[in-house]
PDB file of all heavy atoms in Angstrom:
ATOM      1  N   ALA N  11       0.863  -1.181  -0.031  1.00  0.00           N
ATOM      2  CA  ALA N  11      -0.016  -0.004  -0.004  1.00  0.00           C
ATOM      3  C   ALA N  11       0.910   1.239  -0.008  1.00  0.00           C
ATOM      4  O   ALA N  11       1.908   1.313   0.560  1.00  0.00           O
ATOM      5  CB  ALA N  11      -0.934   0.017   1.210  1.00  0.00           C
ATOM      6  N   HIS N  12       0.364   2.295  -0.689  1.00  0.00           N
ATOM      7  CA  HIS N  12       1.084   3.564  -0.709  1.00  0.00           C
ATOM      8  C   HIS N  12       0.326   4.623   0.045  1.00  0.00           C
ATOM      9  O   HIS N  12      -0.903   4.708  -0.063  1.00  0.00           O
ATOM     10  CB  HIS N  12       1.239   4.051  -2.181  1.00  0.00           C
ATOM     11  CG  HIS N  12       2.291   3.243  -2.933  1.00  0.00           C
ATOM     12  ND1 HIS N  12       2.777   3.630  -4.172  1.00  0.00           N
ATOM     13  CD2 HIS N  12       2.887   2.045  -2.720  1.00  0.00           C
ATOM     14  CE1 HIS N  12       3.623   2.744  -4.668  1.00  0.00           C
ATOM     15  NE2 HIS N  12       3.660   1.761  -3.716  1.00  0.00           N
ATOM     16  N   PHE N  13       1.050   5.440   0.838  1.00  0.00           N
ATOM     17  CA  PHE N  13       0.363   6.502   1.566  1.00  0.00           C
ATOM     18  C   PHE N  13       0.729   7.899   0.983  1.00  0.00           C
ATOM     19  O   PHE N  13       0.293   8.875   1.593  1.00  0.00           O
ATOM     20  CB  PHE N  13       0.846   6.454   3.051  1.00  0.00           C
ATOM     21  CG  PHE N  13       0.472   5.137   3.701  1.00  0.00           C
ATOM     22  CD1 PHE N  13       1.382   4.111   3.846  1.00  0.00           C
ATOM     23  CD2 PHE N  13      -0.809   4.965   4.226  1.00  0.00           C
ATOM     24  CE1 PHE N  13       1.066   2.903   4.497  1.00  0.00           C
ATOM     25  CE2 PHE N  13      -1.182   3.740   4.806  1.00  0.00           C
ATOM     26  CZ  PHE N  13      -0.232   2.747   4.953  1.00  0.00           C
ATOM     27  N   VAL N  14       1.391   7.853  -0.093  1.00  0.00           N
ATOM     28  CA  VAL N  14       1.641   9.140  -0.851  1.00  0.00           C
ATOM     29  C   VAL N  14       1.348   8.806  -2.295  1.00  0.00           C
ATOM     30  O   VAL N  14       1.321   7.673  -2.737  1.00  0.00           O
ATOM     31  CB  VAL N  14       3.136   9.600  -0.640  1.00  0.00           C
ATOM     32  CG1 VAL N  14       3.370  10.010   0.754  1.00  0.00           C
ATOM     33  CG2 VAL N  14       4.099   8.477  -1.014  1.00  0.00           C
ATOM     34  N   LYS N  15       1.286   9.924  -3.103  1.00  0.00           N
ATOM     35  CA  LYS N  15       0.987   9.732  -4.538  1.00  0.00           C
ATOM     36  C   LYS N  15       1.917  10.641  -5.317  1.00  0.00           C
ATOM     37  O   LYS N  15       2.699  11.487  -4.788  1.00  0.00           O
ATOM     38  CB  LYS N  15      -0.463  10.077  -4.811  1.00  0.00           C
ATOM     39  CG  LYS N  15      -0.876  11.470  -4.458  1.00  0.00           C
ATOM     40  CD  LYS N  15      -2.357  11.743  -4.741  1.00  0.00           C
ATOM     41  CE  LYS N  15      -2.790  13.145  -4.444  1.00  0.00           C
ATOM     42  NZ  LYS N  15      -2.512  13.612  -3.114  1.00  0.00           N
ATOM     43  N   LEU N  16       1.874  10.495  -6.600  1.00  0.00           N
ATOM     44  CA  LEU N  16       2.682  11.291  -7.530  1.00  0.00           C
ATOM     45  C   LEU N  16       2.568  12.821  -7.287  1.00  0.00           C
ATOM     46  O   LEU N  16       1.458  13.367  -7.188  1.00  0.00           O
ATOM     47  CB  LEU N  16       2.250  10.976  -8.967  1.00  0.00           C
ATOM     48  CG  LEU N  16       3.107  11.642 -10.086  1.00  0.00           C
ATOM     49  CD1 LEU N  16       4.549  11.168 -10.056  1.00  0.00           C
ATOM     50  CD2 LEU N  16       2.469  11.440 -11.459  1.00  0.00           C
ATOM     51  N   GLY N  17       3.727  13.452  -7.119  1.00  0.00           N
ATOM     52  CA  GLY N  17       3.781  14.895  -6.868  1.00  0.00           C
ATOM     53  C   GLY N  17       3.757  15.322  -5.419  1.00  0.00           C
ATOM     54  O   GLY N  17       4.010  16.482  -5.144  1.00  0.00           O
ATOM     55  N   ASP N  18       3.540  14.327  -4.498  1.00  0.00           N
ATOM     56  CA  ASP N  18       3.475  14.692  -3.095  1.00  0.00           C
ATOM     57  C   ASP N  18       4.916  14.965  -2.599  1.00  0.00           C
ATOM     58  O   ASP N  18       5.868  14.338  -3.005  1.00  0.00           O
ATOM     59  CB  ASP N  18       2.957  13.542  -2.251  1.00  0.00           C
ATOM     60  CG  ASP N  18       1.384  13.459  -2.304  1.00  0.00           C
ATOM     61  OD1 ASP N  18       0.796  14.396  -2.971  1.00  0.00           O
ATOM     62  OD2 ASP N  18       0.833  12.538  -1.782  1.00  0.00           O
ATOM     63  N   LYS N  19       5.026  15.919  -1.676  1.00  0.00           N
ATOM     64  CA  LYS N  19       6.256  16.216  -1.012  1.00  0.00           C
ATOM     65  C   LYS N  19       6.329  15.340   0.263  1.00  0.00           C
ATOM     66  O   LYS N  19       5.338  15.226   0.999  1.00  0.00           O
ATOM     67  CB  LYS N  19       6.424  17.681  -0.643  1.00  0.00           C
ATOM     68  CG  LYS N  19       6.509  18.608  -1.816  1.00  0.00           C
ATOM     69  CD  LYS N  19       6.709  20.082  -1.417  1.00  0.00           C
ATOM     70  CE  LYS N  19       6.816  20.952  -2.626  1.00  0.00           C
ATOM     71  NZ  LYS N  19       7.007  22.378  -2.172  1.00  0.00           N
ATOM     72  N   VAL N  20       7.473  14.756   0.575  1.00  0.00           N
ATOM     73  CA  VAL N  20       7.625  13.930   1.729  1.00  0.00           C
ATOM     74  C   VAL N  20       8.757  14.413   2.571  1.00  0.00           C
ATOM     75  O   VAL N  20       9.657  15.130   2.083  1.00  0.00           O
ATOM     76  CB  VAL N  20       7.865  12.431   1.326  1.00  0.00           C
ATOM     77  CG1 VAL N  20       6.704  11.907   0.527  1.00  0.00           C
ATOM     78  CG2 VAL N  20       9.119  12.330   0.495  1.00  0.00           C
ATOM     79  N   LYS N  21       8.701  14.057   3.842  1.00  0.00           N
ATOM     80  CA  LYS N  21       9.711  14.359   4.784  1.00  0.00           C
ATOM     81  C   LYS N  21      10.450  13.162   5.255  1.00  0.00           C
ATOM     82  O   LYS N  21       9.965  12.034   5.250  1.00  0.00           O
ATOM     83  CB  LYS N  21       9.094  15.088   6.022  1.00  0.00           C
ATOM     84  CG  LYS N  21       8.480  16.427   5.732  1.00  0.00           C
ATOM     85  CD  LYS N  21       9.531  17.471   5.392  1.00  0.00           C
ATOM     86  CE  LYS N  21       8.950  18.808   5.218  1.00  0.00           C
ATOM     87  NZ  LYS N  21       9.970  19.828   4.886  1.00  0.00           N
ATOM     88  N   LYS N  22      11.742  13.382   5.632  1.00  0.00           N
ATOM     89  CA  LYS N  22      12.504  12.219   6.118  1.00  0.00           C
ATOM     90  C   LYS N  22      11.770  11.630   7.353  1.00  0.00           C
ATOM     91  O   LYS N  22      11.396  12.311   8.235  1.00  0.00           O
ATOM     92  CB  LYS N  22      13.922  12.731   6.560  1.00  0.00           C
ATOM     93  CG  LYS N  22      14.812  11.574   7.000  1.00  0.00           C
ATOM     94  CD  LYS N  22      16.240  12.108   7.350  1.00  0.00           C
ATOM     95  CE  LYS N  22      17.101  11.038   7.851  1.00  0.00           C
ATOM     96  NZ  LYS N  22      18.532  11.479   8.111  1.00  0.00           N
ATOM     97  N   GLY N  23      11.663  10.275   7.307  1.00  0.00           N
ATOM     98  CA  GLY N  23      11.046   9.594   8.396  1.00  0.00           C
ATOM     99  C   GLY N  23       9.537   9.413   8.258  1.00  0.00           C
ATOM    100  O   GLY N  23       8.851   8.858   9.156  1.00  0.00           O
ATOM    101  N   GLN N  24       8.991   9.978   7.194  1.00  0.00           N
ATOM    102  CA  GLN N  24       7.482   9.900   6.932  1.00  0.00           C
ATOM    103  C   GLN N  24       7.172   8.502   6.429  1.00  0.00           C
ATOM    104  O   GLN N  24       7.859   7.963   5.552  1.00  0.00           O
ATOM    105  CB  GLN N  24       7.103  10.976   5.948  1.00  0.00           C
ATOM    106  CG  GLN N  24       5.635  10.927   5.594  1.00  0.00           C
ATOM    107  CD  GLN N  24       5.242  12.031   4.538  1.00  0.00           C
ATOM    108  OE1 GLN N  24       5.955  13.020   4.374  1.00  0.00           O
ATOM    109  NE2 GLN N  24       4.171  11.870   3.841  1.00  0.00           N
ATOM    110  N   LYS N  25       6.046   7.950   6.912  1.00  0.00           N
ATOM    111  CA  LYS N  25       5.501   6.651   6.413  1.00  0.00           C
ATOM    112  C   LYS N  25       5.064   6.774   4.973  1.00  0.00           C
ATOM    113  O   LYS N  25       4.168   7.623   4.744  1.00  0.00           O
ATOM    114  CB  LYS N  25       4.444   6.153   7.320  1.00  0.00           C
ATOM    115  CG  LYS N  25       3.981   4.738   6.949  1.00  0.00           C
ATOM    116  CD  LYS N  25       2.848   4.304   7.955  1.00  0.00           C
ATOM    117  CE  LYS N  25       2.285   3.003   7.594  1.00  0.00           C
ATOM    118  NZ  LYS N  25       1.208   2.517   8.525  1.00  0.00           N
ATOM    119  N   ILE N  26       5.589   6.007   4.076  1.00  0.00           N
ATOM    120  CA  ILE N  26       5.249   6.183   2.655  1.00  0.00           C
ATOM    121  C   ILE N  26       4.505   4.963   2.087  1.00  0.00           C
ATOM    122  O   ILE N  26       3.783   5.094   1.088  1.00  0.00           O
ATOM    123  CB  ILE N  26       6.487   6.525   1.820  1.00  0.00           C
ATOM    124  CG1 ILE N  26       7.593   5.481   2.051  1.00  0.00           C
ATOM    125  CG2 ILE N  26       7.006   7.940   2.195  1.00  0.00           C
ATOM    126  CD1 ILE N  26       8.840   5.680   1.146  1.00  0.00           C
ATOM    127  N   LEU N  27       4.773   3.754   2.633  1.00  0.00           N
ATOM    128  CA  LEU N  27       4.201   2.540   2.054  1.00  0.00           C
ATOM    129  C   LEU N  27       4.314   1.371   3.024  1.00  0.00           C
ATOM    130  O   LEU N  27       4.934   1.564   4.154  1.00  0.00           O
ATOM    131  CB  LEU N  27       4.839   2.218   0.759  1.00  0.00           C
ATOM    132  CG  LEU N  27       6.425   2.098   0.597  1.00  0.00           C
ATOM    133  CD1 LEU N  27       6.810   0.662   1.006  1.00  0.00           C
ATOM    134  CD2 LEU N  27       6.865   2.400  -0.732  1.00  0.00           C
ATOM    135  N   THR N  28       3.761   0.199   2.651  1.00  0.00           N
ATOM    136  CA  THR N  28       3.968  -1.003   3.465  1.00  0.00           C
ATOM    137  C   THR N  28       4.483  -2.093   2.578  1.00  0.00           C
ATOM    138  O   THR N  28       4.446  -2.089   1.343  1.00  0.00           O
ATOM    139  CB  THR N  28       2.622  -1.472   4.045  1.00  0.00           C
ATOM    140  OG1 THR N  28       1.695  -1.688   3.012  1.00  0.00           O
ATOM    141  CG2 THR N  28       2.022  -0.469   5.027  1.00  0.00           C
ATOM    142  N   VAL N  29       5.105  -3.103   3.239  1.00  0.00           N
ATOM    143  CA  VAL N  29       5.799  -4.160   2.567  1.00  0.00           C
ATOM    144  C   VAL N  29       4.809  -5.069   1.887  1.00  0.00           C
ATOM    145  O   VAL N  29       3.751  -5.441   2.402  1.00  0.00           O
ATOM    146  CB  VAL N  29       6.667  -4.987   3.525  1.00  0.00           C
ATOM    147  CG1 VAL N  29       7.260  -6.223   2.855  1.00  0.00           C
ATOM    148  CG2 VAL N  29       7.755  -4.112   4.083  1.00  0.00           C
ATOM    149  N   GLY N  30       5.105  -5.436   0.591  1.00  0.00           N
ATOM    150  CA  GLY N  30       4.273  -6.383  -0.167  1.00  0.00           C
ATOM    151  C   GLY N  30       5.119  -7.558  -0.674  1.00  0.00           C
ATOM    152  O   GLY N  30       6.203  -7.825  -0.132  1.00  0.00           O
ATOM    153  N   THR N  31       4.608  -8.247  -1.632  1.00  0.00           N
ATOM    154  CA  THR N  31       5.287  -9.439  -2.144  1.00  0.00           C
ATOM    155  C   THR N  31       5.551  -9.396  -3.668  1.00  0.00           C
ATOM    156  O   THR N  31       5.972 -10.390  -4.234  1.00  0.00           O
ATOM    157  CB  THR N  31       4.343 -10.708  -1.897  1.00  0.00           C
ATOM    158  OG1 THR N  31       3.130 -10.555  -2.652  1.00  0.00           O
ATOM    159  CG2 THR N  31       4.096 -10.793  -0.424  1.00  0.00           C
ATOM    160  N   GLY N  32       5.354  -8.291  -4.305  1.00  0.00           N
ATOM    161  CA  GLY N  32       5.521  -8.239  -5.747  1.00  0.00           C
ATOM    162  C   GLY N  32       4.553  -9.108  -6.452  1.00  0.00           C
ATOM    163  O   GLY N  32       4.915  -9.951  -7.294  1.00  0.00           O
ATOM    164  N   ASN N  33       3.286  -8.959  -6.071  1.00  0.00           N
ATOM    165  CA  ASN N  33       2.216  -9.745  -6.665  1.00  0.00           C
ATOM    166  C   ASN N  33       2.379 -11.254  -6.416  1.00  0.00           C
ATOM    167  O   ASN N  33       2.040 -12.134  -7.270  1.00  0.00           O
ATOM    168  CB  ASN N  33       2.057  -9.479  -8.187  1.00  0.00           C
ATOM    169  CG  ASN N  33       1.600  -8.108  -8.438  1.00  0.00           C
ATOM    170  OD1 ASN N  33       0.847  -7.506  -7.699  1.00  0.00           O
ATOM    171  ND2 ASN N  33       2.085  -7.513  -9.540  1.00  0.00           N
ATOM    172  N   GLY N  34       2.932 -11.541  -5.214  1.00  0.00           N
ATOM    173  CA  GLY N  34       3.001 -12.952  -4.789  1.00  0.00           C
ATOM    174  C   GLY N  34       4.166 -13.696  -5.428  1.00  0.00           C
ATOM    175  O   GLY N  34       4.338 -14.916  -5.191  1.00  0.00           O
ATOM    176  N   GLN N  35       5.078 -13.021  -6.186  1.00  0.00           N
ATOM    177  CA  GLN N  35       6.199 -13.705  -6.778  1.00  0.00           C
ATOM    178  C   GLN N  35       7.325 -13.924  -5.764  1.00  0.00           C
ATOM    179  O   GLN N  35       8.242 -14.677  -6.069  1.00  0.00           O
ATOM    180  CB  GLN N  35       6.642 -12.902  -7.983  1.00  0.00           C
ATOM    181  CG  GLN N  35       5.614 -12.737  -9.099  1.00  0.00           C
ATOM    182  CD  GLN N  35       6.083 -12.037 -10.309  1.00  0.00           C
ATOM    183  OE1 GLN N  35       6.931 -12.514 -11.056  1.00  0.00           O
ATOM    184  NE2 GLN N  35       5.619 -10.795 -10.433  1.00  0.00           N
ATOM    185  N   TRP N  36       7.347 -13.148  -4.677  1.00  0.00           N
ATOM    186  CA  TRP N  36       8.412 -13.219  -3.716  1.00  0.00           C
ATOM    187  C   TRP N  36       7.826 -13.364  -2.308  1.00  0.00           C
ATOM    188  O   TRP N  36       6.689 -13.080  -2.083  1.00  0.00           O
ATOM    189  CB  TRP N  36       9.290 -11.969  -3.760  1.00  0.00           C
ATOM    190  CG  TRP N  36       9.666 -11.551  -5.161  1.00  0.00           C
ATOM    191  CD1 TRP N  36       9.133 -10.531  -5.879  1.00  0.00           C
ATOM    192  CD2 TRP N  36      10.610 -12.148  -6.013  1.00  0.00           C
ATOM    193  NE1 TRP N  36       9.722 -10.453  -7.112  1.00  0.00           N
ATOM    194  CE2 TRP N  36      10.664 -11.496  -7.193  1.00  0.00           C
ATOM    195  CE3 TRP N  36      11.464 -13.283  -5.869  1.00  0.00           C
ATOM    196  CZ2 TRP N  36      11.435 -11.804  -8.274  1.00  0.00           C
ATOM    197  CZ3 TRP N  36      12.313 -13.600  -6.933  1.00  0.00           C
ATOM    198  CH2 TRP N  36      12.271 -12.867  -8.130  1.00  0.00           C
ATOM    199  N   SER N  37       8.678 -13.727  -1.401  1.00  0.00           N
ATOM    200  CA  SER N  37       8.292 -13.570  -0.001  1.00  0.00           C
ATOM    201  C   SER N  37       8.323 -12.089   0.354  1.00  0.00           C
ATOM    202  O   SER N  37       8.997 -11.315  -0.273  1.00  0.00           O
ATOM    203  CB  SER N  37       9.319 -14.314   0.881  1.00  0.00           C
ATOM    204  OG  SER N  37       9.283 -15.740   0.663  1.00  0.00           O
ATOM    205  N   ALA N  38       7.500 -11.717   1.345  1.00  0.00           N
ATOM    206  CA  ALA N  38       7.380 -10.298   1.670  1.00  0.00           C
ATOM    207  C   ALA N  38       8.694  -9.643   2.013  1.00  0.00           C
ATOM    208  O   ALA N  38       9.387 -10.117   2.965  1.00  0.00           O
ATOM    209  CB  ALA N  38       6.375 -10.148   2.806  1.00  0.00           C
ATOM    210  N   HIS N  39       9.040  -8.564   1.357  1.00  0.00           N
ATOM    211  CA  HIS N  39      10.214  -7.770   1.650  1.00  0.00           C
ATOM    212  C   HIS N  39      10.107  -6.448   0.838  1.00  0.00           C
ATOM    213  O   HIS N  39       9.306  -6.326  -0.070  1.00  0.00           O
ATOM    214  CB  HIS N  39      11.518  -8.491   1.343  1.00  0.00           C
ATOM    215  CG  HIS N  39      11.730  -8.686  -0.114  1.00  0.00           C
ATOM    216  ND1 HIS N  39      11.110  -9.666  -0.871  1.00  0.00           N
ATOM    217  CD2 HIS N  39      12.545  -8.032  -1.039  1.00  0.00           C
ATOM    218  CE1 HIS N  39      11.493  -9.606  -2.120  1.00  0.00           C
ATOM    219  NE2 HIS N  39      12.370  -8.565  -2.238  1.00  0.00           N
ATOM    220  N   CYS N  40      10.932  -5.554   1.132  1.00  0.00           N
ATOM    221  CA  CYS N  40      11.022  -4.264   0.422  1.00  0.00           C
ATOM    222  C   CYS N  40      12.350  -4.227  -0.294  1.00  0.00           C
ATOM    223  O   CYS N  40      13.439  -4.287   0.345  1.00  0.00           O
ATOM    224  CB  CYS N  40      10.870  -3.103   1.345  1.00  0.00           C
ATOM    225  SG  CYS N  40      11.107  -1.484   0.565  1.00  0.00           S
ATOM    226  N   HIS N  41      12.286  -4.110  -1.673  1.00  0.00           N
ATOM    227  CA  HIS N  41      13.494  -3.854  -2.454  1.00  0.00           C
ATOM    228  C   HIS N  41      13.734  -2.305  -2.458  1.00  0.00           C
ATOM    229  O   HIS N  41      12.868  -1.556  -2.790  1.00  0.00           O
ATOM    230  CB  HIS N  41      13.375  -4.325  -3.858  1.00  0.00           C
ATOM    231  CG  HIS N  41      14.538  -3.881  -4.689  1.00  0.00           C
ATOM    232  ND1 HIS N  41      15.682  -4.748  -4.897  1.00  0.00           N
ATOM    233  CD2 HIS N  41      14.725  -2.804  -5.424  1.00  0.00           C
ATOM    234  CE1 HIS N  41      16.499  -4.121  -5.656  1.00  0.00           C
ATOM    235  NE2 HIS N  41      15.990  -2.899  -5.988  1.00  0.00           N
ATOM    236  N   TYR N  42      14.961  -1.950  -2.008  1.00  0.00           N
ATOM    237  CA  TYR N  42      15.286  -0.525  -1.919  1.00  0.00           C
ATOM    238  C   TYR N  42      16.602  -0.294  -2.590  1.00  0.00           C
ATOM    239  O   TYR N  42      17.645  -0.919  -2.280  1.00  0.00           O
ATOM    240  CB  TYR N  42      15.305  -0.118  -0.424  1.00  0.00           C
ATOM    241  CG  TYR N  42      15.965   1.267  -0.225  1.00  0.00           C
ATOM    242  CD1 TYR N  42      15.470   2.425  -0.931  1.00  0.00           C
ATOM    243  CD2 TYR N  42      17.000   1.446   0.697  1.00  0.00           C
ATOM    244  CE1 TYR N  42      16.031   3.674  -0.653  1.00  0.00           C
ATOM    245  CE2 TYR N  42      17.570   2.690   0.913  1.00  0.00           C
ATOM    246  CZ  TYR N  42      17.107   3.768   0.226  1.00  0.00           C
ATOM    247  OH  TYR N  42      17.654   5.021   0.434  1.00  0.00           O
ATOM    248  N   ASP N  43      16.637   0.672  -3.600  1.00  0.00           N
ATOM    249  CA  ASP N  43      17.881   1.041  -4.261  1.00  0.00           C
ATOM    250  C   ASP N  43      17.871   2.529  -4.509  1.00  0.00           C
ATOM    251  O   ASP N  43      16.878   3.232  -4.320  1.00  0.00           O
ATOM    252  CB  ASP N  43      18.156   0.206  -5.502  1.00  0.00           C
ATOM    253  CG  ASP N  43      17.058   0.388  -6.597  1.00  0.00           C
ATOM    254  OD1 ASP N  43      16.460   1.429  -6.661  1.00  0.00           O
ATOM    255  OD2 ASP N  43      16.802  -0.600  -7.313  1.00  0.00           O
ATOM    256  N   CYS N  44      19.083   3.023  -4.871  1.00  0.00           N
ATOM    257  CA  CYS N  44      19.244   4.481  -4.978  1.00  0.00           C
ATOM    258  C   CYS N  44      19.890   4.855  -6.364  1.00  0.00           C
ATOM    259  O   CYS N  44      21.088   5.015  -6.500  1.00  0.00           O
ATOM    260  CB  CYS N  44      20.179   5.034  -3.874  1.00  0.00           C
ATOM    261  SG  CYS N  44      19.542   4.719  -2.232  1.00  0.00           S
ATOM    262  N   PRO N  45      19.142   4.966  -7.449  1.00  0.00           N
ATOM    263  CA  PRO N  45      19.654   5.419  -8.687  1.00  0.00           C
ATOM    264  C   PRO N  45      20.196   6.851  -8.540  1.00  0.00           C
ATOM    265  O   PRO N  45      19.540   7.718  -8.043  1.00  0.00           O
ATOM    266  CB  PRO N  45      18.385   5.413  -9.624  1.00  0.00           C
ATOM    267  CG  PRO N  45      17.509   4.427  -9.001  1.00  0.00           C
ATOM    268  CD  PRO N  45      17.631   4.603  -7.502  1.00  0.00           C
ATOM    269  N   GLN N  46      21.362   7.036  -9.116  1.00  0.00           N
ATOM    270  CA  GLN N  46      21.975   8.380  -9.075  1.00  0.00           C
ATOM    271  C   GLN N  46      21.576   9.290 -10.172  1.00  0.00           C
ATOM    272  O   GLN N  46      21.880  10.482 -10.137  1.00  0.00           O
ATOM    273  CB  GLN N  46      23.546   8.245  -9.071  1.00  0.00           C
ATOM    274  CG  GLN N  46      24.060   7.387  -7.965  1.00  0.00           C
ATOM    275  CD  GLN N  46      25.567   7.442  -7.847  1.00  0.00           C
ATOM    276  OE1 GLN N  46      26.175   8.406  -7.502  1.00  0.00           O
ATOM    277  NE2 GLN N  46      26.194   6.346  -8.148  1.00  0.00           N
ATOM    278  N   ARG N  47      20.806   8.749 -11.152  1.00  0.00           N
ATOM    279  CA  ARG N  47      20.251   9.576 -12.216  1.00  0.00           C
ATOM    280  C   ARG N  47      18.888   9.002 -12.548  1.00  0.00           C
ATOM    281  O   ARG N  47      18.529   7.872 -12.166  1.00  0.00           O
ATOM    282  CB  ARG N  47      21.146   9.509 -13.441  1.00  0.00           C
ATOM    283  CG  ARG N  47      21.393   8.040 -13.975  1.00  0.00           C
ATOM    284  CD  ARG N  47      22.236   7.978 -15.197  1.00  0.00           C
ATOM    285  NE  ARG N  47      22.510   6.606 -15.574  1.00  0.00           N
ATOM    286  CZ  ARG N  47      21.678   5.845 -16.281  1.00  0.00           C
ATOM    287  NH1 ARG N  47      20.498   6.385 -16.623  1.00  0.00           N
ATOM    288  NH2 ARG N  47      22.008   4.598 -16.609  1.00  0.00           N
ATOM    289  N   LYS N  48      18.112   9.832 -13.290  1.00  0.00           N
ATOM    290  CA  LYS N  48      16.802   9.368 -13.703  1.00  0.00           C
ATOM    291  C   LYS N  48      16.928   8.260 -14.724  1.00  0.00           C
ATOM    292  O   LYS N  48      17.612   8.398 -15.725  1.00  0.00           O
ATOM    293  CB  LYS N  48      16.028  10.531 -14.262  1.00  0.00           C
ATOM    294  CG  LYS N  48      14.585  10.172 -14.619  1.00  0.00           C
ATOM    295  CD  LYS N  48      13.828  11.388 -15.160  1.00  0.00           C
ATOM    296  CE  LYS N  48      12.366  11.034 -15.455  1.00  0.00           C
ATOM    297  NZ  LYS N  48      11.654  12.244 -15.962  1.00  0.00           N
ATOM    298  N   LEU N  49      16.171   7.141 -14.471  1.00  0.00           N
ATOM    299  CA  LEU N  49      16.294   5.994 -15.367  1.00  0.00           C
ATOM    300  C   LEU N  49      15.319   6.192 -16.567  1.00  0.00           C
ATOM    301  O   LEU N  49      14.281   6.884 -16.442  1.00  0.00           O
ATOM    302  CB  LEU N  49      15.963   4.692 -14.599  1.00  0.00           C
ATOM    303  CG  LEU N  49      16.814   4.379 -13.397  1.00  0.00           C
ATOM    304  CD1 LEU N  49      16.303   3.113 -12.752  1.00  0.00           C
ATOM    305  CD2 LEU N  49      18.277   4.254 -13.769  1.00  0.00           C
ATOM    306  N   ASN N  50      15.697   5.577 -17.657  1.00  0.00           N
ATOM    307  CA  ASN N  50      14.744   5.623 -18.819  1.00  0.00           C
ATOM    308  C   ASN N  50      13.393   5.035 -18.502  1.00  0.00           C
ATOM    309  O   ASN N  50      12.355   5.497 -18.962  1.00  0.00           O
ATOM    310  CB  ASN N  50      15.426   4.957 -19.979  1.00  0.00           C
ATOM    311  CG  ASN N  50      16.649   5.652 -20.513  1.00  0.00           C
ATOM    312  OD1 ASN N  50      16.760   6.879 -20.388  1.00  0.00           O
ATOM    313  ND2 ASN N  50      17.562   4.881 -21.065  1.00  0.00           N
ATOM    314  N   SER N  51      13.375   3.987 -17.742  1.00  0.00           N
ATOM    315  CA  SER N  51      12.157   3.393 -17.259  1.00  0.00           C
ATOM    316  C   SER N  51      12.327   2.975 -15.833  1.00  0.00           C
ATOM    317  O   SER N  51      13.365   2.295 -15.483  1.00  0.00           O
ATOM    318  CB  SER N  51      11.816   2.173 -18.082  1.00  0.00           C
ATOM    319  OG  SER N  51      10.652   1.455 -17.528  1.00  0.00           O
ATOM    320  N   TRP N  52      11.415   3.397 -14.931  1.00  0.00           N
ATOM    321  CA  TRP N  52      11.564   3.054 -13.467  1.00  0.00           C
ATOM    322  C   TRP N  52      11.325   1.589 -13.235  1.00  0.00           C
ATOM    323  O   TRP N  52      11.693   1.103 -12.150  1.00  0.00           O
ATOM    324  CB  TRP N  52      10.626   3.929 -12.656  1.00  0.00           C
ATOM    325  CG  TRP N  52      11.024   5.384 -12.582  1.00  0.00           C
ATOM    326  CD1 TRP N  52      10.325   6.398 -13.097  1.00  0.00           C
ATOM    327  CD2 TRP N  52      12.221   5.917 -12.071  1.00  0.00           C
ATOM    328  NE1 TRP N  52      11.022   7.609 -12.884  1.00  0.00           N
ATOM    329  CE2 TRP N  52      12.170   7.286 -12.219  1.00  0.00           C
ATOM    330  CE3 TRP N  52      13.354   5.343 -11.436  1.00  0.00           C
ATOM    331  CZ2 TRP N  52      13.205   8.124 -11.773  1.00  0.00           C
ATOM    332  CZ3 TRP N  52      14.302   6.159 -10.987  1.00  0.00           C
ATOM    333  CH2 TRP N  52      14.304   7.574 -11.163  1.00  0.00           C
ATOM    334  N   THR N  53      10.802   0.876 -14.207  1.00  0.00           N
ATOM    335  CA  THR N  53      10.551  -0.549 -14.004  1.00  0.00           C
ATOM    336  C   THR N  53      11.721  -1.393 -14.639  1.00  0.00           C
ATOM    337  O   THR N  53      11.622  -2.625 -14.664  1.00  0.00           O
ATOM    338  CB  THR N  53       9.253  -1.022 -14.582  1.00  0.00           C
ATOM    339  OG1 THR N  53       9.202  -0.656 -15.982  1.00  0.00           O
ATOM    340  CG2 THR N  53       8.078  -0.308 -13.879  1.00  0.00           C
TER     341      THR N  53
END
């Protein structure tokens, strides 16, 4: 679940989402990475 939407401003430490499973393809976890530039496709 997402608690923010496109265009929203967020603060450090703000709750933004909850852990899912990638449509059941994985065990529940959050994949987190830090692209240093805008990707051609976020997926």
